[in-house]
């Protein structure tokens, strides 16, 4: 216990909290439009859209450009806090995993997974409200973020309403952030080995992009399950069983390709609806490139020193 408290109570903790908040805000501003497309691809009823490009164009045409930022108030405020918690938890986890500053990639993955588990506490309610907002398509009954949150709390309370989908968020965040930080550190070390000295901005951005791709490759099916669970109002099974139930439902309804629905922005061939999920399997990856690049770049530049 004293080792854990000692790892938390360091002068760098406040610096990491501030840098994480700034990085979180930058991530939302850059990544929110494609996140809206991704989420709608995951949760829209079958046949509602022809593909991701159809989602993008119809959203802009019917609801206006700023509809791509629908639900942004939740992540803009929330993800600033989420990233603040995430990067601080990661730094603390690094100090818990090893007293030495240079971690192996395996130790980096462990520290990232620990940070992801902690991060779920804030990420779950923030993403639930975001998904609820993105699941509105510009109809007369669309609600403001504050009304969504109030109605959810009044109807289902805190545990079953605001924190709905918490355990599937935990299940997603653990492998996701193991991949996120390991990918970032791997790319950064490769650049440092080939370039030498302090990394230029483009190499730091490229390393962050690679970390973002690794994030989604490690967790995407669980993200599909999380979006469906958080949008739905149906009762969930007790314990962790609802995660497996949701994944099974996706496979039964759409096949295994449904577990990767929403990962691509490419247009599917005409009249080949069975390839819909496979042909949208890169949205999240494309979104992750600028979003993760900006996140890591902003964090490291704001903090003023490298993570390793």
């Amino acid at each position: 216990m004293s080792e854990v408290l000692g790892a938390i109570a360091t002068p760098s903790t406040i610096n990491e909290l501030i840098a994480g908040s700034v990085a979180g805000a930058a991530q939302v501003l850059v990544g929110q439009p494609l996140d809206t497309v991704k989420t709608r691809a995951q949760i829209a009823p079958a046949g509602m859209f022809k593909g991701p490009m159809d989602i993008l164009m119809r959203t802009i045409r019917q609801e206006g450009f700023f509809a791509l930022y629908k639900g942004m108030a939740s992540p803009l405020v929330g993800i600033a806090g989420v990233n603040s918690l995430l990067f601080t938890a990661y730094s603390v986890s690094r100090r818990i995993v090893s007293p030495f500053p240079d971690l192996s990639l395996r130790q980096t993955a462990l520290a990232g997974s620990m940070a992801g588990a902690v991060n779920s506490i804030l990420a779950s309610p923030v993403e639930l409200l975001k998904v609820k907002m993105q699941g509105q398509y510009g109809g007369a009954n669309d609600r403001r973020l504050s009304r969504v949150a109030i109605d959810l709390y009044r109807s289902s309370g805190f545990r079953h309403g605001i924190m709905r989908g918490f355990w599937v968020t935990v299940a997603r965040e653990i492998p996701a952030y193991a991949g996120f930080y390991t990918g970032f550190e791997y790319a950064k070390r490769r650049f440092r080995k080939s370039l030498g000295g302090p990394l230029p901005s483009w190499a730091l951005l490229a390393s962050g992009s690679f970390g973002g791709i690794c994030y989604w490759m490690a967790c995407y099916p669980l993200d599909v399950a999380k979006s469906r669970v958080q949008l739905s109002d149906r009762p969930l099974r007790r314990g962790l069983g609802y995660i497996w139930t949701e994944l099974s439902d996706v496979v039964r309804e759409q096949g295994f390709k449904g577990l990767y629905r929403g990962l691509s922005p490419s247009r599917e061939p005409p009249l080949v609806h069975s390839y819909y999920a496979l042909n949208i399997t890169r949205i999240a990856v494309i979104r992750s490139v600028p979003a993760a690049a900006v996140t890591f770049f902003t964090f490291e530049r704001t903090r003023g020193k490298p993570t390793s």
Side-chain angles (χ1 to χ4, degrees):
M1 178 61 72
S2 61
E3 292 181 359
V4 174
L5 292 176
I8 295 173
T10 66
S12 65
T13 299
I14 294 177
N15 194 25
E16 289 155 358
L17 286 166
I18 295 171
S21 297
V22 176
Q27 174 190 327
V28 173
L29 292 173
V30 172
Q32 183 70 8
L34 283 178
D35 186 76
T36 296
V37 175
K38 173 190 74 73
T39 301
R40 287 187 168 185
Q42 291 175 337
I43 65 180
M48 183 173 183
F49 297 108
K50 296 178 182 179
M53 289 303 298
D54 186 41
I55 296 173
L56 177 65
M57 299 310 298
R58 284 174 59 181
T59 297
I60 294 173
R61 184 169 59 249
Q62 296 174 6
E63 304 173 55
F65 174 79
F66 288 103
L68 294 173
Y69 286 89
K70 183 170 284 187
M72 191 181 77
S74 171
L76 187 59
V77 176
I79 289 182
V82 166
N83 271 29
S84 179
L85 175 62
L86 172 67
F87 279 98
T88 303
Y90 174 65
S91 295
V92 171
S93 297
R94 286 173 58 92
R95 294 192 285 269
I96 292 173
V97 168
S98 172
F100 304 105
D102 295 327
L103 272 61
S104 67
L105 292 180
R106 184 175 298 179
Q107 290 173 321
T108 298
L110 176 59
S113 65
M114 292 166 63
V118 173
N119 188 57
S120 304
I121 297 169
L122 285 182
S124 181
V126 167
E127 295 204 9
L128 179 139
L129 293 174
K130 175 178 68 69
V131 167
K132 293 285 190 184
M133 293 297 294
Q134 291 172 330
Q136 299 181 142
Y137 298 97
N141 295 323
D142 281 7
R143 297 169 294 168
R144 298 174 65 89
L145 176 63
S146 58
R147 177 49 54 186
V148 170
I150 291 170
D151 290 348
L152 188 62
Y153 182 77
R154 286 177 176 173
S155 64
S156 304
F158 180 77
R159 179 181 175 186
H160 298 291
I162 301 299
M163 296 302 292
R164 180 182 174 89
F166 172 72
W167 287 113
V168 70
T169 304
V170 174
R172 184 197 70 172
E173 299 288 78
I174 290 174
Y177 284 109
F180 188 61
Y181 284 108
T182 304
F184 174 66
E185 288 294 334
Y186 173 79
K188 194 170 66 169
R189 292 173 190 185
R190 295 286 293 184
F191 278 125
R192 185 173 290 125
K193 183 177 179 180
S194 61
L195 300 175
L199 292 182
S201 295
W202 67 264
L204 195 58
L205 287 165
S207 299
S209 297
F210 186 68
I213 293 170
C214 292
Y215 174 102
W216 287 114
M217 293 299 96
C219 75
Y220 197 79
L222 289 166
D223 186 68
V224 173
K226 183 194 74 68
S227 293
R228 286 168 55 106
V229 164
Q230 292 187 322
L231 183 69
S232 172
D233 294 321
R234 68 179 184 276
L236 299 176
R237 290 177 56 184
R238 294 178 63 85
L240 304 179
Y242 74 85
I243 301 174
W244 176 253
T245 299
E246 198 65 42
L247 291 170
S248 300
D249 287 346
V250 172
V251 173
R252 186 177 66 255
E253 295 167 8
Q254 306 168 30
F256 282 101
K257 60 184 178 292
L259 295 174
Y260 295 90
R261 187 178 184 186
L263 205 64
S264 148
S266 59
R267 188 187 302 272
E268 74 280 3
L271 305 179
V272 189
H273 179 73
S274 63
Y275 285 98
Y276 176 79
L278 292 176
N279 288 322
I280 59 175
T281 54
R282 291 186 295 274
I283 294 177
V285 171
I286 288 179
R287 171 193 174 273
S288 73
V289 170
V294 166
T295 300
F296 273 118
F297 178 82
T298 305
F299 177 80
E300 295 226 346
R301 288 295 186 257
T302 302
R303 193 176 68 149
K305 60 180 180 178
T307 57
S308 66

